[in-house]
Amino acid sequence: MRSLISLILNVIWLLTAGWALFLGYVVAGLLACLLIVTIPFGLASFRIAGFVIWPFGREVVDTGRVSAVGALGNVIWFVVAGWWLALGHVATALAQAITIIGLPLAWANLKLIPVTCFPFGKEIVDSDDARARMLPTAR
C-alpha cells in the first residue's frame, strides 16, 4: 500500500514540480562541470536532480562522514547556490500548499532544503533502508 501511495505522489510530483526542479539541477550540474575545479559541485547537483525527480519512497540521511574539504564545499555551495535553491523550494512549496492534495508535495519540497543547502555528507536511500538504520541491531 505504501508503494502505491508513493507511486501516486511521485507521478503528481513529477507533473507539478519535479520536472522543473530536475531540469534546474541538471542545468546547474552541467554549468558546474564546465570547470574541472567545480566538478564535485556538478556531481552533487546531479545527485540532487535524481532525488527531486522521484522523491517519495526515498530519504536523505546524513552519512556523518564529512571531511574538511566537504565542509568547505558545503559552505561554498550554500553561498553560491544553496540559499537560492532553498528559496525556490520554499516558493514551490507555497504554491503547492494551496490545495489539499498539494500539502504532501509541499512538505516534500521543504524536506529537500537540507540537501539543497548542504549536499556533501548526505546520502539518498530508500525509505525502508533509512528506517532500518534507525532500528537497533543485535550483534
Side-chain angles (χ1 to χ4, degrees), residues 45-126:
S45 186
F46 293 143
R47 189 167 24 103
I48 298 169
F51 182 52
V52 300
I53 194 76
W54 206 256
F56 293 95
R58 298 191 293 167
E59 296 180 33
V60 176
V61 294
D62 194 349
T63 63
R65 299 183 311 253
V66 181
S67 65
V69 174
L72 178 63
N74 276 334
V75 170
I76 293 169
W77 175 280
F78 181 77
V79 170
V80 173
W83 70 279
W84 286 101
L85 294 168
L87 286 176
H89 283 292
V90 169
T92 307
L94 289 173
Q96 289 172 326
I98 291 173
T99 64
I100 290 175
I101 198 164
L103 287 175
L105 304 176
W107 179 246
N109 231 325
L110 295 176
K111 284 177 38 176
L112 289 167
I113 291 176
V115 73
T116 295
C117 289
F118 306 105
F120 299 103
K122 304 270 190 309
E123 185 180 346
I124 299 162
V125 297
D126 287 336

Side-chain angles (χ1 to χ4, degrees), residues 26-40:
V26 167
V27 168
L30 290 173
L31 290 174
C33 286
L34 289 177
L35 300 174
I36 292 173
V37 180
T38 55
I39 286 176

